[in-house]
Amino acid sequence: MRLGKNEDRISDEEGPLEPEQVMAEESRLFRRRLELTAVMAIGRRRRNLVRGSDLYRSLSTFLFRLPFSRRNKLRNTFIAAMDEEYDVIVLGTGLKECILSGLLSVDGLKVLHMDKNDYYGGDSTSLNLNQLWKRFKGNDQPPEQLGASREYNVDMIPKFMMANGTLVRVLIHANVTKYLNFKAVDGSFVYNKGKIYKVPATDVEALKSPLMGLFEKRRARKFFVFVQDFEESDPKTHEGMNLDTITARELIAKYELEDDTIDFIGHALALHINDSYLDQPARDFVKRMKLYAESLARFQAGSPYIYPLYGLGELPQAFARLSAVYGGTYMLNKPQCKVEFDENGKAIGVTSEGETAKCKKVVCDPSYLPDKVHNVGKVARAICIMSHPIPDTNESHSAQVIIPQKQLGRKSDMYLFCCSYAHNVAPKGKYIAFVLTEAETDNPEAELKPGVDLLGPVDEIFYETYERFQPTNDSDADHCYISTSYDATTHFESTVTDVVAMYTKITGKVLDLSVDLSAASAGAEQ
């Protein structure tokens, strides 16, 4: 059954309805909601929607506007979904899994997307105030002075996006920017010798920065000029150096930069998470610095970052809608999703509630295949509700502060993230702040104290740790493609690198990210 060229309704031919035909029949009022779920939640017995939610009411209203016979056809389509064979079954609706689901659907693959939870986002979900309170304080009720629960969108994995970065390119490539509204982040800062400073990213900013003394400013300016002028295709800008053979340490030594300068350039500007980059080829180091400077210049804001209005919870849903538009099928609240293997150890399907959906490949987060991953550490985080911005950040309503490892005598950096009502993630006058780091002890409160102290007074604070896992399997042999757990960074550069690498493994293709960056815009501060 197919829609006629000039028809705006579904024909009366016999046969089960396809997801795209359902979308053709819906009203504008329900379009975004239905695209998100496609055939995910037809039939009460599946209980795939949280009863009473806005989405449940919207979809229910739509369904009961349909004739009884069509409702039954929709229900049959859903029931039959588990009996089909798919190119890929994606388990988990975290950001990485949703991005891959959307990209693979656009490529024409038949995708079934399942989640054992009854909500989107997985570990990267967003919580309102009541959900946050329940997670950390059980059945206690949040104080009234914190404001309405529904006005909070607290991202459990808070990360800013580089304005010209890979994630923005992926968003444009997949054409999901139409589902999202972004706003520039106010400030990007670095901690040095007990104080917070704005990160200088250009030769002009280097000369003005109080981070460096007079002579160091001049040396830093020369280095920034080299980076800004560097073009991979123009050997004249390379100053006689081959950045594929000399290390970042050797490049920096040419400009005689001091250790503190190297510290903020490497960690707060090039966004390396440790000092191992110093002994690697310098090309990637220079490209990272150029990306920072170009992203900073793009919106002429106080930082190179952007962030979605209403938080990161919008991102998984945007890619879920994309997948649904291209025929992807979604099922939430599917308990005990068990990956099935043949006698050669190759994934052939997923079983849930006694039903098995067949597939050629499985994509999932580490929680679905715990025997194919290993622990690589854990992240300690403090989640804070405040009534003021982070001190010494120029009253920034949104900001990142990076504390390089050497500043605290640690093996890993510490990150401060702050967002507020300006991005619609909290009520008027409230700020959400995170302090995160790779845990090096079993005492997160003591370990995070240097970062928490920089926040000033907090209304509420919650501490938590979570384990990080990496896959150990051979995906070519078992056809299981497992994402890496989210790290402690407050930017997306490492996260999206994992996604792009997984896409290439799954499809055998390199993701084309040569896009027009002007397709994504960010609003200025109101």
Side-chain angles (χ1 to χ4, degrees), residues 408-420:
L408 300 177
R410 294 174 48 81
K411 298 177 183 177
S412 53
D413 294 351
M414 190 172 292
Y415 301 86
L416 275 61
F417 168 101
C418 180
C419 214
S420 71

Side-chain angles (χ1 to χ4, degrees), residues 62 82 104 107 159 240 287 446 464 471 507:
F62 161 64
M82 288 294 287
L104 296 173
D107 280 354
K159 293 181 184 289
K287 288 173 68 175
E464 186 178 47
T507 65

Side-chain angles (χ1 to χ4, degrees), residues 13-30:
E13 296 176 32
E14 293 297 319
L17 295 175
E18 299 292 339
E20 62 267 24
Q21 293 172 307
V22 180
M23 293 174 197
E25 181 126 341
E26 62 164 336
S27 68
R28 285 182 180 274
L29 178 62
F30 303 120

Side-chain angles (χ1 to χ4, degrees), residues 183-309:
K183 196 171 190 177
V185 173
D186 292 342
S188 177
F189 301 89
V190 64
Y191 177 87
N192 183 267
K193 295 181 178 178
K195 294 183 178 180
I196 293 175
Y197 299 91
K198 183 183 184 303
V199 177
T202 65
D203 58 321
V204 175
E205 290 187 346
L207 289 175
K208 296 179 180 179
S209 176
L211 263 172
M212 299 168 285
L214 178 61
F215 294 110
E216 181 68 359
K217 285 180 179 180
R218 292 176 179 174
R219 291 188 289 267
R221 179 184 178 278
K222 290 181 180 178
F223 179 61
F224 280 125
V225 169
F226 165 74
V227 171
Q228 288 166 207
D229 291 344
F230 180 83
E231 296 291 341
E232 290 190 82
S233 59
D234 185 1
K236 294 180 181 178
T237 66
H238 300 183
E239 295 188 3
M241 295 179 288
N242 184 344
L243 298 193
D244 292 321
T245 58
I246 71 166
T247 64
R249 189 188 303 277
E250 291 168 335
L251 172 63
I252 292 169
K254 178 180 178 181
Y255 295 91
E256 300 179 338
L257 299 179
E258 296 174 356
D259 287 346
D260 283 341
T261 304
I262 297 171
D263 216 22
F264 84 74
I265 287 177
H267 292 259
L269 222 160
L271 301 179
H272 287 288
I273 59 176
N274 55 49
D275 285 341
S276 63
Y277 76 94
L278 288 169
D279 297 311
Q280 296 170 359
R283 183 178 296 274
D284 181 60
F285 170 57
V286 171
K287 288 173 68 175
R288 283 169 171 254
M289 289 187 63
K290 284 182 69 69
L291 172 62
Y292 189 103
E294 290 165 359
S295 296
L296 180 67
R298 182 171 175 197
F299 295 120
Q300 298 295 314
S303 84
Y305 303 110
I306 59 177
Y307 197 67
L309 294 180

Side-chain angles (χ1 to χ4, degrees), residues 111-127:
V111 176
L112 172 62
H113 202 149
M114 304 167 67
D115 197 314
K116 57 193 174 187
N117 300 310
D118 62 358
Y119 56 85
Y120 279 87
D123 290 338
S124 55
T125 190
S126 294
L127 304 179

